Amino acid sequence: MVSAACYIYVYLFSMAWFVFWRCTITGERVAAMIILSLGITSEIGNLKLIYMCLHMNKIKKIAKDFLACDNQMIRGSRFHINLLKSLRNVKKRAIIYWMILVGNGILYLLKPALIPGRNLPENQFVIYGLEPMFVSPHYEIAYFMMIGGIFFVCYVPANVTAFLIVIAGYTESQMLALSEEMLHIWPDAIKAAEREIEVSNIDEHIPSNKKLINKYVMRRLKEIIVRHALVINLFKRVEGVFRGAIAMGFILLIIGLIAELLGKLENTYLQMPFAFMQVAMDCFTGQRVMDASIVFEQAVYDCQWEKFDKANMKMVHIMVQNSQKTMTLSAGGMAMLSFSCLMTITRGIYSAYTALRSTVK
């Protein structure tokens, strides 16, 4: 609560006062851009947190259903082993993102200690009611409030986005594991038929062998279809809950990044990675889900369906049609999060910056 109070007072109230009141009087445009970018980019994680609180029951239900989906697996099976392999990469991804955001905040707070004399993370920033800033006890109070505010600014988006990375990453891992199952259907069916013939002492001849093989194939296809539909449904619910927060976050981040560029890179070199990392990770998460969907589509086509009987071929045909509807993570349904989206945003930010650069000197 103390950290949240520091954040609200410093990076919302004081930021608005400094940018829209004090700087209009003093004419400090560069300082206004620097502090404006700080305030805007600091609101992204908190916006997502508020959005999650408003949809708390939905998110709890989604998490519960994901856990129920996970409990349906046979532990130690090939599917489970492949799923865990993919999830390890997802876990690393979430940890690295968390460490970068929190580490960025730590570096930002330690920056004044590396410069001689009394310094703050932003020397140009004046907190309302603490002017002059570098006179005791104003300096100590200001530093303490900035530490509390930065903790809230970094910790909230690090954890909220890490939750989204894990949820979307679980969907990605499920799709990759299902792809492996599709590729192994025919070899597994042959082995299963051979075992059944051996155990049951059935006369081994081609018609009965093919019947057993296709019986196994049909059972496995039905299992994969059911799990694929379940994963798609769960991910659609996740996308439906977060799409609004992601869209609002993208708008704020774009404005914040433009303000950081206008504030000059030498003044915002620690703010830029913090803001850009949030955009990049959302796009990377969406791209990985899309890639996993494409891998599954290719696996369905490469499952040696031409060796199946007509009934199984029809099932595969339906699966191909369903798999061609690539799963995507969107920003309000307007932009599909991917690498191409990241490049479009980057170009748009730079174009807006070059158009506005002449107004800030």
Side-chain angles (χ1 to χ4, degrees):
M1 293 300 293
V2 171
S3 178
C6 290
Y7 159 74
I8 292 170
Y9 187 81
V10 175
Y11 294 102
L12 286 182
F13 175 72
S14 295
M15 179 274 294
W17 168 79
F18 181 82
V19 173
F20 300 108
W21 176 257
R22 192 177 188 279
C23 286
T24 55
I25 296 173
T26 60
E28 299 173 277
R29 292 186 177 182
V30 173
M33 289 297 104
I34 295 170
I35 306 309
L36 179 64
S37 67
L38 260 178
I40 291 175
T41 54
S42 70
E43 293 169 14
I44 308 304
N46 306 314
L47 177 67
K48 287 182 178 179
L49 179 64
I50 292 169
Y51 207 85
M52 288 181 72
C53 291
L54 293 175
H55 297 85
M56 186 182 297
N57 292 332
K58 287 184 179 180
I59 291 172
K60 284 183 177 180
K61 184 67 168 61
I62 289 170
K64 184 179 178 180
D65 290 343
F66 265 104
L67 291 171
C69 174
D70 191 68
N71 288 332
Q72 294 174 7
M73 290 183 300
I74 300 173
R75 307 298 168 180
S77 63
R78 181 179 59 226
F79 180 83
H80 184 236
I81 292 169
N82 288 330
L83 181 69
L84 291 180
K85 286 180 181 177
S86 298
L87 285 174
R88 288 190 191 98
N89 294 328
V90 173
K91 183 179 179 180
K92 290 176 185 176
R93 196 183 307 160
I95 290 172
I96 290 171
Y97 174 82
W98 192 94
M99 291 178 67
I100 288 175
L101 252 65
V102 174
N104 185 271
I106 293 171
L107 289 174
Y108 185 75
L109 291 173
L110 291 178
K111 182 177 70 170
L114 304 177
I115 305 172
R118 282 193 169 187
N119 293 280
L120 291 167
E122 287 298 339
N123 287 336
Q124 300 178 72
F125 188 19
V126 177
I127 298 175
Y128 182 79
L130 293 179
E131 197 171 7
M133 291 278 287
F134 294 94
V135 175
S136 296
H138 290 181
Y139 173 77
E140 290 77 9
I141 295 171
Y143 208 155
F144 171 80
M145 294 183 73
M146 284 187 173
I147 289 173
I150 290 296
F151 172 81
F152 194 79
V153 166
C154 295
Y155 189 77
V156 169
N159 284 277
V160 171
T161 305
F163 174 79
L164 182 59
I165 292 170
V166 170
I167 288 289
Y170 185 82
T171 302
E172 169 200 335
S173 300
Q174 284 273 351
M175 296 299 291
L176 294 175
L178 286 173
S179 302
E180 286 296 316
E181 293 303 303
M182 284 299 304
L183 294 174
H184 285 86
I185 276 187
W186 187 253
D188 288 349
I190 293 173
K191 292 178 183 178
E194 290 174 351
R195 284 196 302 269
E196 189 168 342
I197 289 171
E198 184 180 344
V199 171
S200 305
N201 294 320
I202 301 173
D203 292 332
E204 186 176 351
H205 57 284
I206 294 175
S208 63
N209 197 10
K210 279 190 174 181
K211 188 176 180 181
L212 290 172
I213 290 172
N214 281 291
K215 183 180 178 181
Y216 177 89
V217 169
M218 179 173 286
R219 179 171 60 82
R220 292 294 294 128
L221 284 175
K222 287 180 179 178
E223 292 173 357
I224 292 172
I225 287 171
V226 170
R227 180 160 287 272
H228 181 233
L230 177 61
V231 170
I232 289 174
N233 180 55
L234 287 171
F235 185 74
K236 281 183 177 179
R237 288 165 59 191
V238 171
E239 198 269 342
V241 170
F242 280 96
R243 65 193 308 182
I246 292 173
M248 290 299 297
F250 262 50
I251 293 170
L252 291 176
L253 277 173
I254 289 169
I255 297 171
L257 284 167
I258 293 170
E260 286 171 7
L261 290 171
L262 292 173
K264 300 180 181 179
L265 289 177
E266 62 268 24
N267 299 320
T268 59
Y269 62 91
L270 283 176
Q271 299 172 37
M272 283 291 293
F274 177 80
F276 189 77
M277 186 67 180
Q278 294 184 68
V279 177
M281 184 49 69
D282 284 341
C283 291
F284 182 80
T285 301
Q287 182 67 53
R288 292 296 297 171
V289 173
M290 291 174 62
D291 291 345
S293 296
I294 293 170
V295 169
F296 180 75
E297 178 189 347
Q298 293 172 343
V300 172
Y301 193 78
D302 293 337
C303 69
Q304 303 184 53
W305 56 267
E306 66 277 4
K307 298 178 182 179
F308 298 172
D309 61 15
K310 288 185 178 180
N312 287 332
M313 282 184 182
K314 288 180 181 178
M315 291 179 68
V316 172
H317 180 66
I318 294 170
M319 291 179 71
V320 168
Q321 290 178 322
N322 291 335
S323 64
Q324 287 175 344
K325 300 172 184 176
T326 305
M327 289 190 294
T328 57
L329 194 63
S330 73
M334 296 179 290
M336 302 301 110
L337 304 188
S338 62
F339 291 150
S340 60
C341 175
L342 179 62
M343 293 305 298
T344 301
I345 289 171
T346 304
R347 286 198 299 268
I349 290 171
Y350 186 75
S351 298
Y353 158 67
T354 53
L356 295 170
R357 181 174 55 186
S358 58
T359 63
V360 179
K361 296 181 182 179

